[in-house]
Amino acid sequence: RRPMLFGSLIMAAACLIAMGFAFNQHNVNTAVVFVFMTLYLISFGAGLSPVPWTVNAEIYPLRHRAVCISIATATNWIMCFATSMTFLSLSSVLSLEHSDDHPDGVFWLYSGIAVFALYFSNINC
């Protein structure tokens, strides 16, 4: 599971950085954005999506498993909701081009979070 997680985090961070650079251009090449978004989704599905759920189902003692998995699932959905609700605002605020069609900064923010997750998961494994 560890190689799947690290490989997925590295690819996800690289794709998010590439999308940040793609959106930073004066003329955004939608084909490049599409390719890196597709690669990001593939890398996410290969490790970042299944590994936390698998580990989460295995690390708790049986008597606490239901409550702990419920808390972890609620936290996951709250973070997904927060990401969805703040994406458009962050893409406008963090844009270096200061236009709605250049959301480069938000992808660099997300890539920074992926790099931090890579560092954090490396020191705790």
Side-chain angles (χ1 to χ4, degrees):
R1 293 183 190 111
R2 187 175 180 188
M4 284 175 56
L5 181 65
F6 288 157
S8 181
L9 276 168
I10 290 168
M11 273 301 295
C15 290
L16 289 168
I17 289 169
M19 279 193 290
F21 280 114
F23 277 117
N24 194 22
Q25 304 303 314
H26 183 63
N27 293 323
V28 176
N29 187 341
T30 56
V32 171
V33 173
F34 177 77
V35 167
F36 283 115
M37 180 59 74
T38 302
L39 289 173
Y40 169 79
L41 291 172
I42 290 169
S43 67
F44 184 86
L48 286 171
S49 181
V51 171
W53 291 105
T54 304
V55 171
N56 191 37
E58 297 172 344
I59 61 174
Y60 307 117
L62 283 176
R63 65 181 184 272
H64 300 296
R65 186 169 294 168
V67 172
C68 292
I69 289 177
S70 299
I71 292 169
T73 302
T75 302
N76 179 43
W77 279 104
I78 290 167
M79 293 299 111
C80 288
F81 178 75
T83 301
S84 299
M85 295 305 293
T86 59
F87 177 80
L88 293 177
S89 302
L90 286 174
S91 66
S92 293
V93 170
L94 298 177
S95 175
L96 297 179
E97 289 284 327
H98 296 292
S99 69
D100 292 335
D101 58 343
H102 292 276
D104 51 355
V106 72
F107 288 107
W108 286 328
L109 171 69
Y110 293 156
S111 67
I113 293 170
V115 169
F116 175 76
L118 183 62
Y119 172 76
F120 183 76
S121 60
N122 193 27
I123 61 172
N124 288 322
C125 288

